[in-house]
Amino acid sequence: MDDGVKKTVGALPLLSIKAGPRDEQWGERLKQEYAALIKYIQINKADDNDWFKIESNPTGTTWTGKCWYVYNHVKYEFDLRFDIPVTYPETAPEIELPELDGKTSKMYRGGKICTTIHFKPLWSRNVPKFGISHALALGLGPWMATEIPQMADAGVIQPKK
C-alpha cells in the first residue's frame, strides 16, 4: 500500500455499528457509511483526486455511479455498482464495473473486480470498522491503478468520447 493510500485511509472515520441491511440498526450504520463517504470525497477533492460518484437506493442496499481513472492524460470512465450483502459488514461488497466484464483476468463474471488476495483479508480483520469508503479506497482504487493502465496499453479499453 503506498503512502498516499495509507494517509487517506488513516483519515477516514472508522465505523462502529455492526449491522447489515436486515438488522434493526441498519439505519444507524447507514448514517456512519454516509459520513465516512462524505469525508472520503472531501479528502479526495482537497487532494485533487476526485475519481468516483455514487448514490444509493433509498434503503442503502444498492449503490450505483461512475468511477474514472486518468492514464497518460486520458480519462477512462466506467459504470460502477454494488449491492450490500445480507451478511454485511462481515462480508465486503462485491464492486462491479460491468462494461469491463471479461477484459481482464482480475475480474469475476459479471464485471466484479477481484479483491480476494489483498483486500478481503484486510476487510475481515477490520469488521465492523471498515465500510463502503474503505472498500473504494482499498479495493476499487488500487484495482483500477493496476488494471486500467494494463488494459489501456493493450488496447482492450478505449476512452469514452
Side-chain angles (χ1 to χ4, degrees), residues 3 8 12 17 24-25 30 47 55 76 89 98 104 111 116-117 119 127 131 134-135 138-139 149-150:
D3 290 338
T8 299
L12 292 177
I17 296 173
E24 252 182 62
Q25 288 188 297
L30 202 51
D47 290 345
E55 60 184 30
Y76 297 87
T104 173
T116 51
I117 295 172
F119 177 66
V127 171
H134 299 87
L138 295 168
Q150 290 178 12

Side-chain angles (χ1 to χ4, degrees), residues 40-147:
Y40 187 31
I41 290 166
Q42 289 170 340
I43 291 167
N44 285 342
K45 286 187 184 285
D47 290 345
D48 196 27
N49 188 29
D50 191 28
W51 62 275
F52 69 89
K53 288 184 193 256
I54 60 171
E55 60 184 30
S56 75
N57 67 353
T59 59
T61 56
T62 299
W63 295 74
T64 56
K66 298 277 186 191
C67 61
W68 52 91
Y69 189 84
V70 176
Y71 176 64
N72 287 340
H73 308 289
V74 178
K75 182 178 178 180
Y76 297 87
E77 185 174 308
F78 311 98
D79 291 332
L80 161 70
R81 76 164 313 280
F82 56 91
D83 293 318
I84 299 296
V86 173
T87 54
Y88 188 83
E90 295 289 333
T91 305
E94 293 183 318
I95 299 171
E96 301 171 37
L97 305 176
E99 62 205 277
L100 296 182
D101 188 18
K103 294 189 178 190
T104 173
S105 62
K106 301 283 173 53
M107 183 165 274
Y108 301 115
R109 193 168 289 163
K112 294 177 180 171
I113 68 167
C114 175
T115 57
T116 51
I117 295 172
H118 303 289
F119 177 66
K120 287 197 179 178
L122 182 61
W123 179 278
S124 65
R125 288 192 307 271
N126 286 283
V127 171
K129 297 178 262 181
F130 278 8
I132 294 165
S133 59
H134 299 87
L136 294 171
L138 295 168
L140 181 59
W143 185 92
M144 288 178 60
T146 301
E147 295 301 312

